[in-house]
Amino acid sequence: METTKVVLGNVRGEVQLFSDDKKIGKMDISVIGNKLTVYHTEVDDEYAGNGFAKLLLSQLVSYARENNLKIVPLCPYVHAQFKRNPEEYNDVWLKEE
């Protein structure tokens, strides 16, 4: 069974993905003020192609919504998803000018 959780230190942290208690993926993030910046998304090779990056993204967006944060998508995967599905993410997407 897959589970996700957000783990934040002072500013830097991760959205972590577990399968049967084994960490199989993560997103590197930071939160400063009301900005949540996502830098990198990673899923173990043996789990790639199964929608796990999307699970991480879903947790990231839920966390942002629950905490009134705007997401700065520096991660290529997250940025591509935001551009591909703007109607789904417009409320949390901080579009830097």
Side-chain angles (χ1 to χ4, degrees):
M1 165 129 201
E2 286 72 45
T3 59
T4 58
K5 68 179 177 180
V6 176
V7 179
L8 277 175
N10 288 338
V11 170
R12 295 198 54 82
E14 295 180 337
V15 179
Q16 300 176 339
L17 173 65
F18 294 87
S19 180
D20 298 324
D21 296 325
K22 177 185 178 214
K23 185 175 168 186
I24 63 167
K26 68 180 179 114
M27 284 180 155
D28 295 326
I29 63 171
S30 68
V31 177
I32 299 174
N34 70 338
K35 278 188 186 177
L36 187 162
T37 304
V38 57
Y39 301 98
H40 177 71
T41 301
E42 180 179 313
V43 174
D44 288 358
D45 288 344
E46 65 186 278
Y47 295 91
N50 292 309
F52 290 126
K54 186 78 171 176
L55 263 177
L56 283 164
L57 178 59
S58 176
Q59 178 65 36
L60 177 82
V61 169
S62 293
Y63 182 83
R65 287 181 177 137
E66 289 166 12
N67 293 280
N68 297 311
L69 302 171
K70 293 291 186 179
I71 297 171
V72 179
L74 297 183
C75 166
Y77 170 76
V78 175
H79 191 255
Q81 289 299 315
F82 278 23
K83 281 178 66 175
R84 200 171 293 137
N85 305 290
E87 66 289 339
E88 192 174 339
Y89 302 113
N90 269 338
D91 64 319
V92 293
W93 186 2
L94 181 62
K95 297 178 184 170
E96 304 272 5
E97 299 300 319

